[in-house]
């Protein structure tokens, strides 16, 4: 990596100056931007786990789990909550509760996490048929298309029965875009009109709440169930929570046991999740600011294009220009050699995810590494 005085060569945006100590530590730096799932538990989380008061949660007697679930239900504005090992299990349980009859159908986005990244579990385990509607670039689906996808009762002899609509907020594959309460309300109205349920995959719902300046309970007010991940931007080591009515959670608890999610002294994990909820929601705004800083820097690097207006939360997607010889896979390989970890998002794009353990200094370092990697790969491509 080449430097000139105190400035990184080739970068014309306002970076911090580089002192000698910073230079000496650069070769040892590791900046993990693959996902906000890579966060490590804080000392406060570890202390809470070590001292957690626990019993058997499957028997319903773990006090720490009960305290955490009660708090999550209150924060989300729902009657009850249930801790589950993962977001995938949380979404699966929620869909199966709402679609108890095999052969039911759920309407969801074609680029949604449930449809793309959860092993087709709703179909293979629950016998639930997915009916996809195209996600727009902002993560929403066209309201008319949602309504048009609902099966008419007269076709019950031939078609699956529509029972559920799923939304995702923030929408990961669309760049961490936020779904507004107004849009969610309108989807909820469609669901109610047709006697359907509404589930929100709210893995990063607190990011949406902070970015939109709307209380989290308002974003999910019309939802019959919500799954919330504690181990992404909030930084807990393990777990998600599903919230809904008491009747819904009673059924969900039975399915959690069926799927192997009854974990006995789970208060050890709930203790860390409680700390994450208490301490880290307020840090998400800083993550969003650093993501925008990252996007602004990437936009000024030749060979890359970034839609900075789409960076609403902690995710940054950038494309490699069509004429470039650089591939996302090769760029990520070179970045890893400098300690910067990232993931290709497609055949032409790369994703960075900022979290609270990424400092502003890490952002500057990662940008410098991207600049250098692009220069190296472009030069190699021309030479070949």
């Amino acid at each position: 990596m080449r430097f000139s005085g105190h400035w990184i060569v080739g970068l014309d945006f306002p970076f911090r100056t580089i002192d000698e100590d910073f230079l000496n530590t650069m070769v040892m730096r590791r900046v993990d931007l693959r996902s906000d799932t890579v966060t490590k538990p804080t000392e406060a989380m570890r202390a809470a786990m070590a001292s957690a008061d626990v019993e058997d949660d499957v028997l319903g007697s773990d006090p720490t789990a009960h305290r955490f679930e009660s708090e999550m239900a209150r924060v989300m504005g729902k009657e009850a909550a249930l801790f589950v090992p993962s977001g995938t299990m949380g979404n699966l349980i929620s869909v199966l509760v709402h679609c108890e009859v095999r052969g039911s159908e759920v309407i969801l986005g074609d680029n949604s996490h449930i449809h793309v990244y959860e092993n087709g579990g709703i179909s293979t385990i629950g016998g639930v048929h997915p009916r996809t509607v195209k996600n727009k670039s902002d993560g929403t689906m066209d309201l008319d298309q949602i309504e048009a996808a609902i099966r008419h009762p007269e076709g019950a002899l031939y078609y699956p029965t529509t029972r559920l609509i799923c939304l995702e907020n923030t929408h990961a594959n669309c760049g961490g875009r936020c779904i507004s309460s107004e849009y969610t309300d309108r989807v909820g109205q469609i669901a109610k009109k047709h006697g359907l349920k509404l589930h929100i995959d709210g893995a990063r719902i607190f990011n949406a709440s902070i970015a939109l300046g709307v209380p989290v309970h308002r974003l999910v007010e019309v939802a019959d169930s919500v799954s919330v991940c504690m181990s992404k931007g909030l930084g807990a080591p393990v777990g998600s929570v599903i919230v809904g009515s008491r009747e819904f959670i009673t059924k969900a608890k039975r399915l959690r046991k069926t799927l192997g999610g009854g974990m006995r002294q789970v208060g050890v994990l709930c203790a860390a999740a409680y700390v994450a909820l208490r301490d880290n929601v307020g840090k998400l705004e800083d993550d969003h600011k650093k993501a925008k800083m990252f996007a602004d820097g990437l936009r000024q690097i030749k060979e890359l294009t970034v839609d900075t207006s789409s960076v609403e939360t902690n995710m940054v997607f950038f494309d490699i220009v069509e004429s470039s010889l650089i591939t996302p896979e090769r760029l990520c390989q070179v970045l890893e050699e400098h300690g910067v970890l990232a993931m290709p998002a497609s055949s032409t794009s790369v994703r960075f995810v900022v979290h609270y353990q990424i400092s502003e200094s890490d952002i500057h370092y990662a940008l410098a590494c991207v600049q250098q990697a692009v220069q190296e790969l472009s030069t190699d491509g021309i030479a070949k």
Side-chain angles (χ1 to χ4, degrees), residues 19-324:
D19 57 33
E20 291 301 320
D21 289 338
F22 185 69
L23 284 172
N24 291 335
T25 60
M26 287 184 75
V27 293
M28 300 298 294
R29 184 169 294 221
R30 177 185 170 91
V31 182
D32 196 339
L33 297 162
R34 291 173 296 173
S35 177
D36 45 10
T37 61
V38 303
T39 52
K40 305 296 192 297
T42 62
E43 289 304 314
M45 291 180 196
R46 293 177 186 273
M49 293 169 74
S51 62
D53 183 14
V54 297
E55 293 290 346
D56 190 328
D57 183 55
V58 176
L59 299 180
S61 57
D62 190 298
T64 304
H66 178 72
R67 181 183 69 148
F68 171 65
E69 290 168 346
S70 297
E71 179 63 8
M72 280 299 298
R74 184 193 68 79
V75 169
M76 302 299 294
K78 302 300 181 185
E79 291 181 349
L82 183 68
F83 184 85
V84 293
S86 70
T88 294
M89 183 183 285
N91 284 329
L92 176 61
I93 289 173
S94 298
V95 172
L96 298 194
V97 169
H98 295 310
C99 300
E100 293 180 287
V101 179
R102 293 182 67 86
S104 297
E105 187 167 72
V106 54
I107 296 171
L108 73 176
D110 68 333
N111 210 11
S112 65
H113 196 280
I114 293 176
H115 184 61
V116 178
Y117 292 119
E118 298 185 3
N119 299 107
I122 62 172
S123 299
T124 57
I125 296 174
V128 179
H129 186 263
R131 185 171 173 97
T132 60
V133 173
K134 182 176 177 58
N135 282 117
K136 299 179 183 179
S137 60
D138 65 357
T140 64
M141 298 174 282
D142 182 88
L143 294 171
D144 291 336
Q145 290 184 21
I146 291 176
E147 192 151 23
I150 298 171
R151 305 289 187 176
H152 195 283
E154 291 181 1
L157 180 63
Y158 306 100
Y159 307 123
T161 300
T162 309
R163 299 187 190 278
L164 177 66
I165 302 172
C166 290
L167 298 178
E168 182 178 338
N169 197 11
T170 64
H171 199 289
N173 277 356
C174 293
R177 302 292 292 272
C178 302
I179 309 301
S180 70
S181 56
E182 292 79 11
Y183 174 84
T184 304
D185 288 348
R186 294 184 67 183
V187 175
Q189 291 166 5
I190 292 172
K192 187 175 182 179
K193 173 183 173 182
H194 293 274
L196 311 180
K197 300 297 185 181
L198 173 62
H199 171 69
I200 296 178
D201 174 2
R204 296 180 176 89
I205 192 70
F206 283 101
N207 289 87
S209 172
I210 294 296
L212 295 171
V214 176
V216 68
H217 66 84
R218 176 65 187 90
L219 290 178
V220 301
E221 188 173 24
V222 297
D224 296 286
S225 61
V226 189
S227 62
V228 185
C229 188
M230 305 306 298
S231 62
K232 291 188 169 70
L234 298 184
V238 178
S240 287
V241 182
I242 50 179
V243 298
S245 68
R246 290 187 181 87
E247 181 183 4
F248 168 85
I249 292 299
T250 296
K251 293 179 179 180
K253 190 173 293 187
R254 185 170 184 272
L255 273 171
R256 184 184 68 172
K257 185 69 168 66
T258 302
L259 295 170
M263 297 185 291
R264 305 302 177 184
Q265 287 75 39
V266 75
V268 172
L269 299 177
C270 289
Y274 190 92
V275 172
L277 179 66
R278 182 193 70 196
D279 294 352
N280 291 344
V281 172
K283 298 177 182 178
L284 297 175
E285 184 175 7
D286 193 46
D287 295 346
H288 301 170
K289 289 178 180 177
K290 284 180 284 192
K292 293 183 192 307
M293 178 194 304
F294 211 159
D296 287 338
L298 290 167
R299 186 169 56 87
Q300 298 186 52
I301 298 177
K302 187 181 178 182
E303 305 280 353
L304 307 182
T305 60
V306 184
D307 178 8
T308 54
S309 66
S310 71
V311 181
E312 296 179 351
T313 55
N314 64 326
M315 292 185 174
V316 181
F317 285 69
F318 66 87
D319 290 300
I320 300 170
V321 297
E322 191 173 336
S323 60
S324 176

